[in-house]
């Protein structure tokens, strides 16, 4: 066995090279003296699929390789593993570019395969294993970002991009030493990934990212993982890690919106400056307009409304056949618009009902099925939701049919009906699927094609988008923001949240709403309002009937009017490091119906964030 050292300024790593494998042996910070890792950890896992029967095989860096080589010296190091005994003909090469000034290692991973029996299916970027202690914290990019104590048994596996992984980075830091280690996937495209943090009883915690591979229907599918995996030391906490990711985004990311004088060129002022939202499920008459107008007059602000069920089909059925609309939709909308209330109807950007005419087949077999995502064996990927309990097919965003169908729906809504915005559900929330339909324009499996295809779809829509109109979507996956002007943050309702997403992206994309139906009582309602105010979100996304029934409606109103009065600090400002508040008042604790871990939400009585306007 041989110890190989990798030096990158204050970041010191050691690899343990054995006769048939390699392990991460030690990881330390020379400046603080902190040792992140002093036990051996696997460096990667690689999964392959047998072409003959679809069975899976997973190997890792620790053992089983015919030959192992660790070579190089500052600033470039190479780890090569050749011919695993269970996966012959496959070579994995990891390269690490060291930076003395940034105190970082930038990893790339290349896979070479001559194996005719298996297709390479998924591979990890280098895994960061570390030691837990009571003062070591972990950042994970669920929603706005969450911070976990490293000693707690916990696991989160999330697809990027999706509601569970808004951004492609993680981090850990020691709160006493004030030093941390950033784990960032700097992939400008970006490719579909799976982000994973885990701490189990009796084992070391780890951070890792896995990339579903391309050409999974073929043998010998050699390729490189997209982007680089950056391990970088930093001073501070989650906020400083966020600034590292923000620097990558502003310099390299393909999803950076076009800006002009510090503002997005494609965002209308009404959306950019808006402080508050309603939402409403429409029935068959114009009562929805009456309820919104009444609530709006009580609040004293002309707030736009997110309108569901404007179509005659039941919710989550018969998609994407939204027309004809309910007869009361257009006249009710006109009444709202006359009051200065803008209207944003709901559609779904991802699903086609497999029985799309009640319980009957209609267009799905001949039109949609060839254009939906497919598993091995030409089987569609399907999802079932409790809102309808029917099988809905996941449409492939690369297909001309789906791109043109979305454009057609939007053209009717914007040009015939005159809506102010359209909410396209699930684009920013739901995972990519490794589609294997050989007739589609993309390569089978993962890669960057999913995001690129949705961008192309949204570009089709932008071609017909009238002046002053905009698009929004569910949740806050960052790579769609170039073509989406606002994200619905409705499930930012957990313990341990931090506003990392807002620290990075405020000003680049609008963020709005919390789901007040999930609040268990008035404490939950007040926590949602106070946190969305201090985080800088556009507030609300509340039903008029829920608003009328708030226990402390005056507190809610005060939060919303404060958001309105201080609006320029949010839409023309930036979020600074969170202040440290000493609060001796007992924690506010409540039960939350959905999302919160263990159904429990608690917070100090004081909510505070620090905002700076762009004029200083």
């Amino acid at each position: 066995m041989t110890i190989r050292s990798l030096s990158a300024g204050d970041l010191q790593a050691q690899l343990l090279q054995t006769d048939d494998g390699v392990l991460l042996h030690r990881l330390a910070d020379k400046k603080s003296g902190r040792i992140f890792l002093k036990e051996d950890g696997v460096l990667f896992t690689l999964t392959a699929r047998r072409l003959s029967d679809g069975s899976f095989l997973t190997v890792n860096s620790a053992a089983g390789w015919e030959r192992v080589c660790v070579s190089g010296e500052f600033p470039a190091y190479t780890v090569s593993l050749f011919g695993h005994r269970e996966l012959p003909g496959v070579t994995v090469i990891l390269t690490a570019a060291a930076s003395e000034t940034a105190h970082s290692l930038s990893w790339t991973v290349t896979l070479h395969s001559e194996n005719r029996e298996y297709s390479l299916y998924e591979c990890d970027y280098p895994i960061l294993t570390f030691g837990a202690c009571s003062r070591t914290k972990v950042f994970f990019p669920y929603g706005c970002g969450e911070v976990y104590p490293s000693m707690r048994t916990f696991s989160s596996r999330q697809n990027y991009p999706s509601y569970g992984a808004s951004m492609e980075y993680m981090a850990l830091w020691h709160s006493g030493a004030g030093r941390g280690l950033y784990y960032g996937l700097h992939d400008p495209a970006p490719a579909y990934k799976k982000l994973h943090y885990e701490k189990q009883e009796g084992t070391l915690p780890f951070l890792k990212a896995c990339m579903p591979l391309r050409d999974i229907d073929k043998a010998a599918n050699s390729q490189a993982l997209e982007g680089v995996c950056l391990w970088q030391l930093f001073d501070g906490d989650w906020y400083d890690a966020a600034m590292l990711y923000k620097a990558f985004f502003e310099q390299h990311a393909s999803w950076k919106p076009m800006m002009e004088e510090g503002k997005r060129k494609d965002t209308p002022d009404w959306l950019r400056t808006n402080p508050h939202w309603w939402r409403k499920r429409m029935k068959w008459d114009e009562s929805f307009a009456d309820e919104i107008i009444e609530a709006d007059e009580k609040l004293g602000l002309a707030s736009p409304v997110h309108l569901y069920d404007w179509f005659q089909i039941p919710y989550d059925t018969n998609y994407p056949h939204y027309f004809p609309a309910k007869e009361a939709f257009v006249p009710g909308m006109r009444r709202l618009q006359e009051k200065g209330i803008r209207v944003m109807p709901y559609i779904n950007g991802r699903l086609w009902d497999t029985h799309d005419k009640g319980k009957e087949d209609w267009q799905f077999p001949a039109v949609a099925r060839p254009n939906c995502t497919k598993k091995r064996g030409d089987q569609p990927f399907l999802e079932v939701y409790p809102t309808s309990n029917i099988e809905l097919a996941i449409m492939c965003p690369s297909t001309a049919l789906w791109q043109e169908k979305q454009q057609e729906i939007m053209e009717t809504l914007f040009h015939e009906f005159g809506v102010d915005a359209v909410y396209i559900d699930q684009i920013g929330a739901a995972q990519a699927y490794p589609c294997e339909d050989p007739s589609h324009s993309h390569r089978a499996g993962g890669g960057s094609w999913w995001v690129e295809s949705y961008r192309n779809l949204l570009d089709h829509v932008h071609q017909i988008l009238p002046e002053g109109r905009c698009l929004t979507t569910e949740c806050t996956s960052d790579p769609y923001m170039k073509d989406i002007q606002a994200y619905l943050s409705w499930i930012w309702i957990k313990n341990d949240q931090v506003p990392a997403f807002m620290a990075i992206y405020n000003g680049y994309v609008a963020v709005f709403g919390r789901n007040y139906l999930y609040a268990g009582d008035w404490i939950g309602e007040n926590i949602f309002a106070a946190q969305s105010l201090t985080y800088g979100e556009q507030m609300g996304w509340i039903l008029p009937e829920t608003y009328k029934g708030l226990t402390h409606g005056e507190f809610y109103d005060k939060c919303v009017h404060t958001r309105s009065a201080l609006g320029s600090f949010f839409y023309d400002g930036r979020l600074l490091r969170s202040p440290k508040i000493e609060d001796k008042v007992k924690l506010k604790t409540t039960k939350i119906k959905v999302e919160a871990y263990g159904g429990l939400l608690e917070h100090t009585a004081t909510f505070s964030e620090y905002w700076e306007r762009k004029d200083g």
Side-chain angles (χ1 to χ4, degrees), residues 4-15 24-39 99 102-105 107 128-131 172 174 177 179-182 231-234:
R4 304 285 187 174
S5 295
L6 284 64
S7 177
D10 290 332
L11 181 59
Q12 304 290 306
Q14 289 183 343
L15 302 179
L24 181 62
H25 180 65
R26 178 183 167 93
L27 200 60
D29 172 18
K30 189 165 65 176
K31 178 181 176 182
S32 69
R34 295 292 308 167
I35 299 175
F36 296 109
L37 176 67
K38 48 187 176 184
E39 300 178 43
S99 170
H103 310 284
S104 67
L105 292 168
W107 295 92
L128 178 56
T129 306
F130 61 95
L172 62 104
H174 188 274
R179 289 280 279 180
L181 190 55
Y182 171 84
W231 297 5
Q232 182 170 348
L233 289 170
F234 63 86

Side-chain angles (χ1 to χ4, degrees), residues 153-402:
T153 300
F154 187 77
S155 178
S156 185
R157 296 180 179 90
Q158 303 294 338
N159 294 282
Y160 170 84
S162 76
Y163 70 93
S166 292
M167 302 161 283
E168 50 180 343
Y169 81 98
M170 296 172 279
L172 62 104
W173 67 94
H174 188 274
S175 57
R179 289 280 279 180
L181 190 55
Y182 171 84
Y183 184 94
L185 288 305
H186 287 191
D187 175 10
Y192 171 34
K193 301 177 185 69
K194 299 179 180 180
L195 273 56
H196 187 183
Y197 164 63
E198 185 169 308
K199 169 66 175 79
Q200 297 296 343
E201 195 68 38
T203 65
L204 292 173
F206 64 82
L207 303 173
K208 79 168 188 175
C210 172
M211 180 177 147
L213 299 174
R214 300 178 293 270
D215 301 319
I216 57 175
D217 56 345
K218 297 180 174 64
N221 56 329
S222 302
Q223 60 196 279
L225 302 195
E226 296 198 25
V228 302
C229 178
L230 181 66
W231 297 5
Q232 182 170 348
L233 289 170
F234 63 86
D235 291 308
D237 56 18
W238 67 265
Y239 184 85
D240 304 278
M243 293 303 100
L244 293 176
Y245 189 69
K246 183 175 184 177
F248 153 71
F249 158 72
E250 292 187 328
Q251 295 170 29
H252 303 293
S254 63
W255 59 89
K256 184 178 178 183
M258 295 290 291
M259 307 292 285
E260 192 172 81
E261 297 180 355
K263 302 176 186 177
R264 273 190 72 152
K265 291 181 66 174
D266 64 350
T267 300
D269 272 348
W270 72 261
L271 174 65
R272 193 174 74 91
T273 62
N274 176 57
H276 181 263
W277 286 82
W278 302 112
R279 70 166 164 135
K280 184 64 184 170
R281 287 196 176 276
M282 182 183 168
K283 296 179 181 177
W284 290 90
D285 56 23
E286 293 183 38
S287 60
F288 77 99
D290 298 326
E291 293 173 44
I292 294 163
I293 290 168
E294 180 186 352
D296 210 62
E297 289 174 348
K298 181 178 183 298
L299 180 61
L301 288 172
S303 303
V305 59
H306 184 182
L307 189 64
Y308 289 77
D309 294 343
W310 55 272
F311 34 75
Q312 296 186 19
I313 56 175
Y315 186 67
D316 277 353
T317 67
N318 296 343
Y319 289 172
H321 310 304
Y322 302 102
F323 307 109
K326 291 175 178 174
E327 289 184 7
F329 169 51
V330 172
M333 177 177 64
R334 293 288 180 264
R335 289 177 54 202
L336 292 172
Q337 291 172 330
E338 287 169 4
K339 295 283 188 179
I341 300 169
R342 297 180 185 271
V343 178
M344 178 178 73
Y346 168 102
I347 68 165
N348 191 290
R350 189 166 165 270
L351 305 175
W352 197 303
D353 188 346
T354 55
H355 300 288
D356 54 344
K357 195 171 187 179
K359 295 183 179 180
E360 301 174 18
D361 290 343
W362 183 34
Q363 293 186 4
F364 179 75
V367 177
R369 195 182 190 284
N371 296 280
C372 68
T373 55
K374 307 286 201 326
K375 307 175 188 177
R376 172 186 169 94
D378 197 44
Q379 292 305 304
F381 283 104
L382 303 174
E383 291 177 350
V384 178
Y385 293 91
T387 46
S388 59
N389 290 312
I390 60 172
E391 291 185 335
L392 299 161
I394 314 306
M395 297 305 293
C396 185
S398 74
T399 60
L401 172 102
W402 191 238

Side-chain angles (χ1 to χ4, degrees), residues 22 52 56 70 95 119 160 166 179 190 235 244 251 280 391 424 428 473 507 512 523 546 607 615:
V22 64
S52 60
F56 289 95
V70 180
T95 60
S119 177
Y160 170 84
S166 292
R179 289 280 279 180
D235 291 308
L244 293 176
Q251 295 170 29
K280 184 64 184 170
E391 291 185 335
I424 315 172
T473 192
F512 67 99
I523 297 175
T546 303
F607 288 73
D615 62 7

Side-chain angles (χ1 to χ4, degrees), residues 506-523:
N506 190 68
Y508 289 104
V509 66
V511 177
F512 67 99
R514 300 285 176 105
N515 192 351
Y516 287 82
L517 290 181
Y518 289 171
D521 56 18
W522 68 267
I523 297 175

Side-chain angles (χ1 to χ4, degrees), residues 130-140 142 145-156 197-207 494-497 595-602:
F130 61 95
C133 77
S134 61
R135 303 190 75 178
T136 296
K137 310 291 184 185
V138 176
F139 172 86
F140 192 84
Y142 192 111
E146 297 178 351
V147 172
Y148 314 131
S150 66
M151 297 288 285
R152 184 177 75 187
T153 300
F154 187 77
S155 178
S156 185
Y197 164 63
E198 185 169 308
K199 169 66 175 79
Q200 297 296 343
E201 195 68 38
T203 65
L204 292 173
F206 64 82
L207 303 173
K494 291 186 176 181
N495 280 339
D496 307 318
Q497 292 186 154
E595 284 295 319
Y597 298 117
L600 183 69
L601 183 64
E602 61 182 13

